[in-house]
Amino acid sequence: MSVSATGASIGLVLSDAGQVLYASGTLSLTVAGGLITGSGTVKVTQNTTGTDFTAGSISASGVTVSSIPTIAAGAKTFSGTGLNLTIANFVKLSGDFGFEKVGRKSGWR
């Protein structure tokens, strides 16, 4: 299995209130000697705190990840553009995809 990323940006804030995660980059994936291959640009966000993240950037140890959009409280998102997935040179999928969960359900863990 081989995974590589280029142009990657990862920002993570950990606090007593929860965590905020922002990650983006262009990925390339090869599994089982090329039986499964994939590539594309992806973005993942998560905010487990009770408030929207609106700071626009995350800084740690002298490194700043900027241009971060607002991440709603309780949000979990995955989006990909220009995604390509090939399985055994038989199944080929390509396109732009996005998945999102926003909000918290009372009492749900």
Side-chain angles (χ1 to χ4, degrees):
M1 179 173 173
S2 165
V3 178
S4 66
T6 57
S9 296
I10 300 173
L12 176 65
V13 176
L14 300 173
S15 71
D16 291 339
Q19 72 181 28
V20 174
L21 169 68
Y22 173 84
S24 66
T26 300
L27 298 179
S28 179
L29 168 74
T30 302
V31 178
L35 184 64
I36 300 172
T37 61
S39 63
T41 300
V42 298
K43 180 171 68 172
V44 176
T45 66
Q46 181 180 35
N47 181 351
T48 65
T49 71
T51 58
D52 293 352
F53 178 81
T54 58
S57 66
I58 296 173
S59 296
S61 300
V63 176
T64 299
V65 176
S66 57
S67 301
I68 298 174
T70 296
I71 304 172
K76 294 178 182 178
T77 68
F78 169 87
S79 62
T81 56
L83 296 178
N84 294 292
L85 177 66
T86 302
I87 303 171
N89 259 346
F90 176 70
V91 176
K92 295 182 180 185
L93 302 171
S94 63
D96 300 337
F97 302 94
F99 305 94
E100 178 177 296
K101 177 195 177 289
V102 177
R104 295 176 172 222
K105 184 176 177 182
S106 180
W108 187 48
R109 296 183 188 252

